[in-house]
Amino acid sequence: MTVHTKGSGTTWVGRSIRRLEDPALVTGRGRFTADMPATHWVRFVRSSVAAGTIENITAPERAGIVTAKDLAKLKPIRPMLSKFNYVAVGQPILADGVVRFTGESIAAVYAPSKDQAEDIADQVEVEISEGAPLIDAMDALAEGAPLVHADTKHNVIVEGRIATPGFEDVWKTAHKVLHVEARSHRQNATPMETRAGHAAYDGSTGRVTLTCTTQMPHLTRTAVCDILGIPESDLRVVAPDVGGGFGQKMSLAPEYVLLVWLARKLRSSVAWTEDRRENLIASFHSRDQHVQLEGAFDKSGKLLALRGDIVANIGAYSCFPTTCGVEPLMALAELPGPYDVRAYDCRSRGVMTNTCPMAPYRGVSRPVITFVLERLMDKAAAAFGIEPTELRRRNLIDKFPYTSATGLVFDDGSYKETMEMAIKAIDLDAFRKRQKIARDAGRYLGIGFATFSERTGYGSPAFAARGMEITPGFETVYLTIDPSGFVEARIGSSPHGQGLRTSLAQIIADEIGIDPEFIKVVHGDTDRSPYGWGTFASRSLVLSGGASLLAAQKIRAKLLKMASHFLEAAPEDITLQSGSAHVIGTDRSVTIASMARAAYHQTHIFKGEIEPGLTETGTYDPSGTFSNACHVAIVEVDIETGRVEMEKFLVVEDAGLIINPMIADGQVHGGVAQGIGNALLEEIIYDETGNILTSTLADFLPPTTHEIPEIELHHVETLTGNSITKAKGLGEGGAIGAPAAVISAINDALSPFGISIDEMPATPQRIRAALRSSGKLPSNGKLA
Amino acid sequence: MKPAPFTRHVPRTVDEVVSALAEFAPLDGRILAGGQSLVPIMAFRMARPAHLIDINEVEGLDRLAVDGDYLSIGARVRHGAFHKPVIDGPLGKLLAFVVSHIAHYPIRMRGTFCGSLAHADPASEWCLVAATLDASLVVKSVRGERIVPVTDFLEGIMSTSLAEDEFLAEARLPLLPDDTKFGFYEFSRRAGDFAMSAALVTYRLVDGVIADAHVGIGGAEDRARRILEAEDVLNGNAPSPDLFVAAGEAAANAIEPLEDIQTTAEYRCDLVRAVTRRALERSLL
């Protein structure tokens, strides 16, 4: 069941119109990078060891092969951060003498077909003198640990600390102190389409077109050109249809740099399609964190102070453009979540290891910190002997704007309202009765609540606080009505499955009075789109939507002025609707198409009062807005096997004004499914030698439809002044709240055993091991 | 994800199969049936056969029929053939119940019963069926034919007693008496994943007590096999919750559990205890 506060009406915004992108996608006419023919196919020879020195590379005779020595003139990927004791480390495009993780590219071979390239790569012999690999961040922190990069002093390359004044004084007043030691294991975002790139050299202009599965076409262009030392005008980057990214495709893939370099060298076209094994071992990983969190509560259960220590395993290199600070620093700034706590002392470190580099993954650190913080709240509720929701009720922020202990400013939200709605919709009292009856019969049901905030749609001021050399922010939209009367919006965002073309068309349609089906949204091509930051961080609807609205407002003003000329009426007496301008209360009208024609071909009739053409630009760079939600999971834990069965999932989401409810629901559904996978199934496992044991989808386990329960969804719409469309972002929220809710539900189910599952994913093996350790597990399945 | 180069041979008769095998097996040749295990392994280049003898065009190997007191399953019979009971009586129902646990629909439409046995994955549902029901395997080569009991066929993890030049032409499952009860339960992380433990039980009730109990366990040891210790607990006793718990305990105590980085021996025994009892509970439904 899905309940909307809004779903129809006279505006396009708020309606579940069908996605304009789908007809091509569902009839097999989508265009993906791997579909493109190429003269040469590339296969990367990857390291089979996690740490070592390359002694020798031997290739078969006449093989087309590239190694680091061919790339001596290329700069390494060296993302910069100007704060937080950041140590810049460089990543060579191909391993240059040293290998630092299993799967790192050592050489690239090329041949006329994929098969031949793989056969040749197979015959390339690499001799590596193996070193001792560091896999776990805690080992890399140890005194005297080997260095992943010899030119650094230690393996901590980013470290931040926030301590509010007078913290210790507040801490001393605590009535109860609760502690959580949590572990989030490593995960892979696993988009359906793996990475792929195709670089084609144009002999007449010397330009290269790089088609690739990126979330950031312009940043890819900038990065590749900086590394190769060529002007940006010599490279066009195209992101065609992209089959999911989830952050994994927002960081620069060194492979793409190689493709552009090779296309220029061969003066031809070269292509590479990553296979699933490469994706699982050598594309980016995430969420590998150790978090210690302590909370000090007063007598009433009010959270007074939080003390935390976060260690993020950032792998062997720092990702571009966000840098490896993205996980530890996000965790540091946002750990207090949606709770009113004034005293905060937290240290957060990013630690290098001989593992695949970390990069953003849907939610970035927030799925982890939300899970840890919600564990703390649940433990506190148990210590105070109250419902977990009651403890949250006493601590959730409810006055806005709210400035957090870490300096974040929360705009209007509905933290308490969404939770109260969720309690009612799930019928908590009825569940508790059902839970008791089931327990008496030896069945263990549990319910878990997660309340959280999701910082979305933030512009350059928010990113500037991180001190990144590259500070993302604004979005620009070029909006044109061409002489045919059709509308083209060229955007800098780069959607890859989110339905943004449809949502933006709805926003524009309401402003200019032209139906969405006549509005084409163009993205993902640096030759066609304005310089923009792409799609990540739940930003595109807010930023590109805002820029679209600003551009559409300008077009609207111009259309009204033109209509005023044609209809001999004052602009304020004219409306734009269904493709025409109408004088209110009369039958006088003129079509927008004919006005568009005149704007280009009959400019003389405006006698110089109206500029020729019909293109306007909108640029939007807001401070950001916080979405919020309450997630509820109901599970049953099979105490004999440790298996968790998802019975039900419920979300009350507040993402401001909902532009297209169907698309919004889809975002939440997908995020929740990913979050359930994170909570229960997905884990990249390294053995002690640094080899990955989960290099296929038989071992790394994304959820299937069988593992995802019914998801009931409700929306609250808090309209914020921080977004001109009133829409907040919601791309990541599903994935942020779901793990916390699921793990909370598991712990609720297992509360009779006095254990705490503080590890993600909560696999059956881990749950069963915890149950065994409780000593309360009888052989007949019933509690002693 | 492209296999190493190989040569494909497409025999049309069983004689051609065995002579091709005699010629190419010494040159790293292998049989290709449904390919649902072999082809992915080849794509990862973990297997690199130089020759594949593709039996998908061989006449007669798709035979699925009752011969006397057993069901004969030819080497080309696909998992999907068992989606509906292939014969009346408990055996057809048992096979139809078990088959729905094998991987996913597209895989079941291609993979074969005999291929599963020859591949000998410890988690294979068909290996468990064959072991529990005391199947006989018909093995052919240019040297002739031999009939091998399943206990002599399955030797270990992906290891059988097939000689290099032999192929598994047919599996024979004994028909079950009409009053046979059966139960199956498997534990896997997701629907369709490899079983981390699975149990298949069959027995008859004679005067209210269990007779001729077969308890098979798969996915827990290096091969599927009958657990006589659990059968001894059952035979001669009336079904009861306590009896089933005791049988599960006996099975858990009898196995030599496989271990891996995520699964301790202790956990594997926990699963065997649970799947055995649950298979028995399901036999009464």
Side-chain angles (χ1 to χ4, degrees):
Chain A
M1 187 186 70
T2 299
V3 176
H4 299 293
T5 49
K6 196 171 175 186
S8 62
T10 55
T11 58
W12 288 104
V13 166
R15 285 162 67 181
S16 292
I17 65 167
R18 288 191 182 180
R19 301 198 332 158
L20 302 172
E21 12 319 61
D22 285 345
L25 292 174
V26 301
T27 55
R29 287 176 287 138
R31 190 172 69 93
F32 294 88
T33 303
D35 296 333
M36 299 173 72
T39 305
H40 303 278
W41 287 88
V42 171
R43 177 82 187 174
F44 289 93
V45 177
R46 295 183 182 275
S47 178
S48 58
V49 304
T53 313
I54 301 171
E55 301 290 352
N56 197 24
I57 303 173
T58 321
E61 254 181 80
R62 292 195 305 280
I65 182 164
V66 185
T67 62
K69 69 176 167 31
D70 301 304
L71 307 179
K73 287 183 186 158
L74 271 56
K75 289 183 202 155
I77 300 171
R78 196 189 295 273
M80 298 299 290
L81 197 62
S82 61
K83 303 204 294 201
F84 302 106
N85 303 316
Y86 181 72
V87 181
V89 295
Q91 176 175 15
I93 302 308
L94 294 171
D96 188 4
V98 179
V99 291
R100 296 190 175 87
F101 69 97
T102 299
E104 183 169 8
S105 298
I106 291 173
V109 299
Y110 53 95
S113 74
K114 282 182 198 172
D115 309 41
Q116 286 165 287
E118 196 165 338
D119 288 346
I120 296 167
D122 212 24
Q123 296 166 50
V124 174
E125 283 176 24
V126 183
E127 285 170 46
I128 298 176
S129 134
E130 282 191 55
L134 289 164
I135 306 306
D136 193 281
M138 294 322 233
D139 296 334
L141 278 177
E143 200 72 35
L147 295 171
V148 176
H149 287 258
D151 55 348
T152 59
K153 292 200 188 77
H154 42 69
N155 290 314
V156 177
I157 65 164
V158 57
E159 178 166 3
R161 176 150 187 199
I162 295 177
T164 53
F167 178 87
E168 290 301 332
D169 296 336
V170 178
W171 191 262
K172 276 185 236 150
T173 67
H175 173 67
K176 280 185 200 297
V177 171
L178 280 305
H179 179 244
V180 181
E181 184 173 349
R183 177 81 172 95
S184 166
H185 292 277
R186 179 172 282 247
Q187 299 181 325
N188 177 296
T190 329
M192 193 178 291
E193 181 199 29
T194 56
R195 294 180 299 169
H198 178 284
Y201 179 83
D202 178 58
S204 77
T205 60
R207 285 186 99 205
V208 171
T209 298
L210 171 67
T211 306
C212 59
T213 62
T214 179
Q215 298 173 226
M216 302 184 120
H218 280 96
L219 259 285
T220 302
R221 188 181 75 185
T222 296
V224 172
C225 291
D226 282 353
I227 290 165
L228 297 182
I230 61 172
E232 292 208 26
S233 55
D234 278 359
L235 181 65
R236 173 187 179 196
V237 175
V238 177
D241 284 322
V242 174
F246 313 113
Q248 195 179 71
K249 293 174 182 167
M250 74 174 276
S251 295
L252 178 67
E255 289 87 347
Y256 297 160
V257 181
L258 188 283
L259 293 179
V260 174
W261 179 86
L262 188 59
R264 286 166 59 91
K265 176 180 180 265
L266 299 175
R267 297 178 171 247
S268 182
S269 59
V270 300
W272 164 67
T273 306
E274 181 181 62
D275 66 34
R276 185 58 68 184
R277 182 169 175 275
E278 288 180 289
N279 181 265
L280 285 168
I281 69 169
S283 196
F284 298 99
H285 291 167
S286 307
R287 313 233 202 286
D288 186 349
Q289 297 186 9
H290 297 260
V291 183
Q292 300 260 7
L293 184 64
E294 282 183 295
F297 293 82
D298 74 8
K299 269 185 190 161
S300 69
K302 175 84 185 61
L303 181 60
L304 299 174
L306 273 178
R307 179 148 58 195
D309 189 1
I310 298 154
V311 174
N313 184 339
I314 60 95
Y317 298 104
S318 187
C319 56
F320 176 95
T322 58
T323 80
C324 64
V326 66
E327 273 199 3
L329 301 181
M330 172 89 84
L332 178 69
E334 306 205 10
L335 183 57
Y339 300 114
D340 175 31
V341 54
R342 302 315 310 167
Y344 182 59
D345 184 356
C346 184
R347 174 172 66 157
S348 189
R349 289 169 288 177
V351 185
M352 286 188 299
T353 59
N354 293 108
T355 59
C356 179
M358 173 275 292
Y361 168 24
R362 199 175 196 171
V364 189
S365 274
R366 290 162 299 180
V368 180
I369 58 176
T370 302
F371 136 63
V372 183
L373 182 60
E374 294 296 78
R375 284 301 301 133
L376 181 75
M377 299 309 265
D378 284 354
K379 285 188 180 191
F384 282 97
I386 56 176
E387 272 285 349
T389 47
E390 177 54 32
L391 189 89
R392 285 166 176 75
R393 195 175 282 127
R394 295 176 193 178
N395 286 287
L396 284 168
I397 57 175
D398 59 358
K399 291 188 181 62
F400 307 100
Y402 175 87
T403 303
S404 78
T406 64
L408 301 179
V409 180
F410 288 66
D411 57 335
D412 286 332
S414 55
Y415 299 85
K416 284 187 176 167
E417 296 91 312
T418 47
M419 186 182 78
E420 302 300 349
M421 270 179 74
I423 292 168
K424 211 171 150 195
I426 204 84
D427 199 346
L428 180 57
D429 291 341
F431 174 81
R432 290 290 181 212
K433 290 189 189 107
R434 186 159 70 91
Q435 181 181 40
K436 186 172 183 315
I437 293 165
R439 251 179 216 172
D440 292 343
R443 291 177 56 199
Y444 294 88
L445 307 183
I447 192 165
F449 286 79
T451 50
F452 63 93
S453 61
E454 178 192 3
R455 191 185 191 190
T456 74
Y458 36 121
S460 55
F463 279 107
R466 286 194 203 160
M468 294 155 67
E469 181 182 50
I470 292 173
T471 303
F474 67 90
E475 274 305 330
T476 300
V477 171
Y478 297 154
L479 185 63
T480 296
I481 306 183
D482 63 33
S484 71
F486 282 76
V487 183
E488 187 174 78
R490 294 185 282 146
I491 68 171
S493 290
S494 198
H496 41 279
Q498 293 89 347
L500 191 67
R501 288 187 220 167
T502 308
S503 302
L504 296 187
Q506 287 178 264
I507 291 169
I508 294 165
D510 279 341
E511 214 53 40
I512 64 173
I514 294 178
D515 290 359
E517 62 183 298
F518 303 113
I519 301 170
K520 302 272 184 256
V521 175
V522 176
H523 59 78
D525 181 344
T526 56
D527 275 6
R528 293 263 279 142
S529 332
Y531 200 100
W533 294 93
T535 288
F536 59 95
S538 303
R539 67 191 297 276
S540 289
L541 182 61
V542 177
L543 280 95
S544 249
S548 294
L549 180 64
L550 291 171
Q553 285 169 344
K554 291 184 192 171
I555 291 272
R556 175 186 179 81
K558 189 160 182 181
L559 288 173
L560 289 176
K561 209 168 160 189
M562 290 165 71
S564 161
H565 185 92
F566 278 104
L567 299 171
E568 295 178 341
E572 52 272 25
D573 294 332
I574 297 171
T575 62
L576 301 175
Q577 209 178 344
S578 303
S580 293
H582 305 264
V583 181
I584 298 164
T586 74
D587 59 357
R588 281 171 24 235
S589 69
V590 58
T591 65
I592 293 171
S594 63
M595 291 198 289
R597 188 69 73 174
Y600 294 93
H601 301 161
Q602 296 282 316
T603 54
H604 60 282
I605 64 175
F606 302 116
K607 301 185 182 88
E609 290 164 13
I610 296 174
E611 294 240 329
L614 209 41
T615 292
E616 296 290 352
T617 300
T619 294
Y620 190 46
D621 189 7
S623 59
T625 171
F626 283 81
S627 297
N628 64 272
C630 179
H631 286 200
V632 190
I634 294 180
V635 304
E636 177 166 0
V637 181
D638 176 348
I639 61 162
E640 273 184 297
T641 64
R643 185 186 176 84
V644 175
E645 207 64 59
M646 294 293 309
E647 185 185 291
K648 169 142 192 148
F649 207 92
L650 182 139
V651 176
V652 183
E653 167 88 29
D654 185 349
L657 184 71
I658 299 295
I659 306 297
N660 182 315
M662 177 190 71
I663 287 175
D665 289 0
Q667 283 278 18
V668 177
H669 285 151
V672 166
Q674 243 170 350
I676 291 172
N678 291 173
L680 298 177
L681 292 162
E682 296 172 11
E683 182 174 359
I684 293 281
I685 301 172
Y686 281 93
D687 67 15
E688 67 279 5
T689 71
N691 182 40
I692 292 189
L693 302 175
T694 50
S695 62
T696 77
L697 291 180
D699 309 298
F700 184 81
L701 309 176
T704 73
T705 49
H706 292 280
E707 284 72 49
I708 304 302
E710 180 200 353
I711 300 169
E712 180 177 321
L713 202 46
H714 303 264
H715 292 283
V716 175
E717 294 184 330
T718 299
L719 304 183
T720 174
N722 283 23
S723 163
I724 55 170
T725 57
K726 309 292 179 200
K728 299 179 173 188
L730 49 56
E732 298 169 280
I736 293 171
V742 171
I743 289 173
S744 170
I746 293 168
N747 280 295
D748 182 51
L750 299 181
S751 58
F753 297 93
I755 53 173
S756 185
I757 307 284
D758 299 327
E759 208 166 348
M760 173 167 109
T763 61
Q765 292 93 330
R766 291 186 176 121
I767 291 173
R768 178 69 194 174
L771 282 165
R772 270 190 173 278
S773 74
S774 75
K776 296 183 183 173
L777 209 55
S779 59
N780 65 2
K782 291 196 175 62
L783 266 184
Chain B
M1 289 288 181
K2 304 287 179 194
F6 60 88
T7 307
R8 173 170 169 251
H9 306 274
V10 189
R12 307 283 160 174
T13 65
V14 171
D15 284 346
E16 286 176 22
V17 173
V18 292
S19 54
L21 202 49
E23 185 180 351
F24 296 112
L27 305 171
D28 204 7
R30 288 183 66 169
I31 297 282
L32 172 71
Q36 298 304 294
S37 300
L38 179 58
V39 171
I41 294 172
M42 287 171 60
F44 282 113
R45 299 195 175 212
M46 288 156 68
R48 297 163 180 251
H51 297 271
L52 283 184
I53 298 151
D54 180 348
I55 61 166
N56 285 285
E57 309 280 326
V58 178
E59 274 177 40
L61 288 184
D62 56 349
R63 185 167 179 274
L64 176 61
V66 173
D67 289 333
D69 58 355
Y70 61 83
L71 178 69
S72 164
I73 303 167
R76 267 177 62 195
V77 173
R78 320 239 175 232
H79 308 319
F82 300 94
H83 278 156
K84 288 180 184 159
V86 293
I87 48 168
D88 292 338
L91 181 59
K93 284 191 196 125
L94 182 156
L95 296 171
F97 186 80
V98 171
V99 72
S100 66
H101 295 78
I102 299 175
H104 303 280
Y105 190 83
I107 292 172
R108 298 200 291 270
M109 298 315 282
R110 189 74 197 164
T112 64
F113 187 100
C114 288
S116 252
L117 263 49
H119 184 62
D121 190 306
S124 154
E125 286 85 355
W126 288 147
C127 288
L128 173 59
V129 166
T132 309
L133 302 185
D134 297 332
S136 299
L137 293 321
V138 180
V139 167
K140 293 187 177 176
S141 70
V142 287
R143 296 175 284 128
E145 174 183 305
R146 61 189 182 106
I147 296 177
V148 186
V150 67
T151 44
D152 293 340
F153 183 83
L154 297 175
E155 290 195 329
I157 298 171
M158 292 175 188
S159 163
T160 69
S161 60
L162 281 173
E164 188 181 63
D165 65 342
E166 286 179 324
F167 97 106
L168 175 57
E170 176 191 346
R172 294 175 176 174
L173 297 179
L175 299 184
L176 297 171
D178 283 345
D179 61 349
T180 303
K181 291 184 173 298
F182 74 87
F184 174 79
Y185 189 91
E186 78 169 34
F187 182 87
S188 63
R189 293 286 303 277
R190 298 174 305 179
D193 280 350
F194 289 104
M196 291 168 65
S197 280
L200 175 65
V201 297
T202 64
Y203 60 87
R204 292 165 56 229
L205 281 179
V206 177
D207 300 329
V209 300
I210 292 175
D212 194 19
H214 289 221
V215 176
I217 297 293
E221 298 181 285
D222 67 349
R223 78 202 87 164
R225 67 177 177 106
R226 283 175 64 180
I227 307 293
L228 304 181
E229 293 85 341
E231 295 174 359
D232 288 344
V233 169
L234 295 169
N235 282 327
N237 289 304
S240 74
D242 287 345
L243 184 70
F244 291 171
V245 167
E249 201 59 46
N253 290 335
I255 61 159
E256 288 178 37
L258 286 176
E259 286 186 85
D260 59 52
I261 196 162
Q262 293 185 81
T263 311
T264 60
E266 192 174 52
Y267 182 63
R268 192 80 72 178
C269 291
D270 288 346
L271 292 179
V272 167
R273 188 178 295 112
V275 297
T276 306
R277 202 199 73 232
R278 290 174 191 192
L280 284 163
E281 285 167 359
R282 287 186 171 198
S283 70
L284 293 176
L285 296 178

